[in-house]
Amino acid sequence: MHIPDGFCSLPVCIGTAALSLGALGVSISQTMKQSNTKKSSSIIPATAAGVVFSAQMLNFPVGAGTSGHFLGALAMAAIFGPCRAYLIMLAVLAVQAFAFADGGITALGANLFNMGVIGGFVGYGVLRGVMHFLPRGRKSYLTAVGIASWSSVILASIACSIELALSGTFQLSLALPAMTGTHALIGLGEALITCAIVGAVSYSRPDLLPDWSGVDKFTTTNKPSTVWPVALIGLGLAFFMAAVLSPFASSSPDGLERVAEDMGIMDRVRELWTMSPLPDYSVTSISDSAISTGIAGVLGVIITLAVCYAINKLINIRFAN
């Protein structure tokens, strides 16, 4: 669902950038107020960003020559809350746009709004709303997470459709059914992946989940004393997906690209940023596509880790002072 340059008009780019900057201010402010060990750790959110980055490389087929990929905002919000999740999505989307030419530079505000604000903040609201009607506990929380993650993809696709319609890129009456129909299928994959991630966390480190989830926490006698086991597992997963699995991802266009191709508007794509060192997730000096993609993925995980770690470290230092 990464909007490229050329699809959004200048007013839409400015408007969504302003909204995304507002969300960034709120996220930084609220994150500074979180003082417990889980929230103040920089390595865990950075590891999560690496996992989201690598998981987004794994396009999965959804039929009719279309693929989808993990969004991840709701998964991060279900674990860290929407503010920390937004900072994670900022790191991922910025690295994708500047280092890999995946998503436009002028459309970065729109992509952040769709995947970070709608997918994260609004999806988190859906999660809290669904949990209001369910009993507290792990099964209920995972049920709510599945519903909210599917909804986050649908809502993000609706927001994307409206932005492109306001930009004059296509007619809303034609694009909205196509976008929501395609992303309804992609959302099922999102729900499965999100439930798997949050479910694994609920069993291995339930202390990372919010108190209102109702998931049983560790007692004072068996609570882990360090975050490094979780970080190392997450890092291993991120590098494995990027290096080993990414070359086997579906090459079919994703939901937005498929709709754009069907409507004949792909000629509107503009390449405004030509300095991406790893364009299209490849190392241009390596001819073997699988090796090229794998190395690019590993480098992307490292860059994303560094960017997200720096963001969280700066916030934590500011809080400590």
Side-chain angles (χ1 to χ4, degrees):
M1 203 184 297
H2 294 68
I3 301 174
D5 287 318
F7 272 24
C8 287
S9 64
L10 182 59
V12 169
C13 288
I14 294 175
T16 52
L19 292 171
S20 296
L21 283 174
L24 176 60
V26 171
S27 297
I28 292 175
S29 175
Q30 292 301 311
T31 301
M32 283 182 175
K33 296 177 181 179
Q34 298 169 341
S35 59
N36 61 61
T37 303
K38 176 249 298 191
K39 298 298 183 181
S40 61
S41 170
S42 298
I43 188 61
I44 293 296
T47 301
V51 171
V52 171
F53 173 87
S54 58
Q56 286 198 3
M57 292 183 67
L58 307 181
N59 281 45
F60 51 85
V62 295
T66 305
S67 69
H69 65 72
F70 183 54
L71 193 156
L74 193 280
M76 298 300 98
I79 298 170
F80 301 103
C83 292
R84 187 78 76 172
Y86 185 82
L87 298 177
I88 290 171
M89 296 305 297
L90 168 63
V92 172
L93 293 173
V95 169
Q96 289 172 334
F98 286 97
F100 296 88
D102 186 10
I105 302 302
T106 61
L108 182 56
N111 288 325
L112 266 172
F113 179 77
N114 297 339
M115 289 184 263
V117 177
I118 301 298
F121 282 96
V122 178
Y124 184 79
V126 174
L127 174 60
R128 293 298 301 265
V130 174
M131 276 299 294
H132 181 74
F133 297 98
L134 297 176
R136 287 167 55 87
R138 179 179 285 108
K139 290 183 179 179
S140 294
Y141 191 59
L142 292 180
T143 298
V145 163
I147 294 171
S149 58
W150 181 85
S151 300
S152 71
V153 173
I154 299 299
L155 293 172
S157 72
I158 292 174
C160 179
S161 299
I162 294 173
E163 291 156 6
L164 298 186
L166 291 174
S167 300
T169 304
F170 52 44
Q171 292 183 343
L172 184 63
S173 60
L174 297 177
L176 186 59
M179 284 287 287
T180 54
T182 299
H183 285 87
L185 296 175
I186 295 174
L188 295 177
E190 180 81 15
L192 290 173
I193 298 171
T194 302
C195 286
I197 292 174
V198 178
V201 171
S202 74
Y203 281 101
S204 61
R205 284 296 299 268
D207 58 305
L208 292 176
L209 300 180
D211 293 336
W212 56 264
S213 66
V215 177
D216 292 335
K217 306 293 183 177
F218 287 117
T219 66
T220 55
T221 58
N222 65 4
K223 183 177 179 178
S225 59
T226 176
V227 299
W228 281 107
V230 176
L232 291 175
I233 292 173
L235 289 172
L237 177 62
F239 284 120
F240 176 76
M241 289 190 292
V244 179
L245 299 184
S246 65
F248 301 99
S250 173
S251 60
S252 299
D254 66 15
L256 175 58
E257 291 173 335
R258 170 55 64 190
V259 173
E261 288 180 0
D262 291 345
M263 294 191 169
I265 60 172
M266 288 300 293
D267 59 342
R268 295 181 63 118
V269 175
R270 299 290 182 266
E271 186 180 359
L272 302 181
W273 177 257
T274 59
M275 299 174 62
S276 300
L278 302 164
D280 198 25
Y281 299 90
S282 64
V283 180
T284 55
S285 60
I286 299 178
S287 58
D288 187 287
S289 60
I291 296 176
S292 175
T293 300
I295 293 176
V298 169
L299 293 174
V301 170
I302 294 172
I303 297 170
T304 305
L305 282 167
V307 170
C308 192
Y309 182 84
I311 291 172
N312 284 275
K313 196 67 175 179
L314 287 173
I315 292 174
N316 291 337
I317 290 174
R318 175 65 182 84
F319 175 82
N321 294 334

